[in-house]
Amino acid sequence: MNRRPTENGLSWIADAYSTSFTLALSEGLSPYELLRRVGAEERDVVLLSRPAAYELLLRDEEDPISDLDFLDSEDEAAVAQLTSAGFLPAPPETIVRAGSVAGWAFALEEFHCRTGTYLASLSERGRAFCVHRNAKGFSRVDYAYRGDEVTSFEPGLPHLTNGVPAEVALGFVDNGGELGDVAFLRFLESELGIYLPFEETETELPAAAFT
């Protein structure tokens, strides 16, 4: 994981999650509602910090549970909860951690993009955005409104847009001055007035495991 960013907002996410990341924003939902809409059972939601989720994602099934820094392996109840929720013993494919900020639910994934599959459902009460960068450095933005997918595009590559052009749907124009996902995150900062503190994404948040 990268060093602590020097400023808050949204664009810092692209630096802090430099290998691959997904940020989803859902207007009017709570974190638990967001997790349910992407397929989590409430009984399987646990509180996890980002470092804890990172450890769980990168471990091998054969690794001893005692190697996990965040977990007391002698705490049988905690181990049983993580096991029944799908975090152990095999590493899940992805972990979705969710929180809330200024009337929006947000979700972060370290490597995959499960939330993007459910964006229409996440937009039932208003707007929903998904910004994803894969491990090869390619990024994609999806936008849905009131249950309908409006546009899906790669910043800086308008010919790869599915749906309404980003300039029409959102007023977003990529001028090529910086990485496309960073430019769009800055756009969201200014358009939505959302400032997500780094500390709030590192601390324990409701989390669900998916395989």
Side-chain angles (χ1 to χ4, degrees):
M1 292 185 289
N2 283 22
R3 61 180 175 78
R4 176 192 181 106
T6 57
E7 63 182 85
N8 292 317
L10 291 173
S11 55
W12 62 265
I13 294 170
D15 179 51
Y17 291 73
S18 58
T19 301
S20 177
F21 74 90
T22 299
L23 168 70
L25 291 167
S26 180
E27 192 171 23
L29 294 186
S30 72
Y32 286 91
E33 287 174 320
L34 186 154
L35 291 173
R36 285 197 297 270
R37 287 171 187 259
V38 300
E41 298 287 342
E42 191 158 352
R43 66 177 181 273
D44 293 332
V45 174
V46 301
L47 294 176
L48 283 181
S49 67
R50 184 190 174 196
Y54 198 76
E55 278 195 273
L56 288 165
L57 287 168
L58 294 185
R59 70 185 299 274
D60 292 324
E61 185 173 356
E62 296 77 17
D63 293 343
I65 292 175
S66 58
D67 284 354
L68 293 169
D69 291 336
F70 76 94
L71 180 65
D72 179 357
S73 59
E74 296 183 0
D75 186 340
E76 294 182 359
V79 173
Q81 181 186 33
L82 289 169
T83 300
S84 65
F87 293 92
L88 294 172
E93 180 179 273
T94 191
I95 295 174
V96 180
R97 300 172 60 245
S100 61
V101 57
W104 296 74
F106 69 85
L108 286 162
E109 293 176 71
E110 198 80 39
F111 304 116
H112 293 279
C113 188
R114 183 179 181 89
T115 45
T117 305
Y118 297 87
L119 201 65
S121 177
L122 296 180
S123 72
E124 185 177 297
R125 295 182 187 165
R127 296 163 290 178
F129 299 90
C130 180
V131 185
H132 173 67
R133 179 196 291 171
N134 67 20
K136 295 182 179 180
F138 296 106
S139 59
R140 190 152 197 95
V141 174
D142 297 286
Y143 168 59
Y145 179 71
R146 295 289 184 184
D148 293 320
E149 297 179 8
V150 177
T151 188
S152 178
F153 63 94
E154 295 189 30
L157 299 171
H159 62 288
L160 297 179
T161 297
N162 294 321
V164 181
E167 183 175 359
V168 176
L170 299 167
F172 171 71
V173 178
D174 185 2
N175 60 18
E178 56 188 340
L179 289 174
D181 47 24
V182 177
F184 188 77
L185 291 170
R186 291 194 193 280
F187 170 80
L188 287 181
E189 288 176 11
S190 61
E191 290 296 308
L192 305 181
I194 291 179
Y195 291 87
L196 180 57
F198 170 77
E199 294 80 4
E200 290 188 16
T201 70
E202 294 290 297
T203 192
E204 290 187 340
L205 293 173
F210 300 96
T211 56

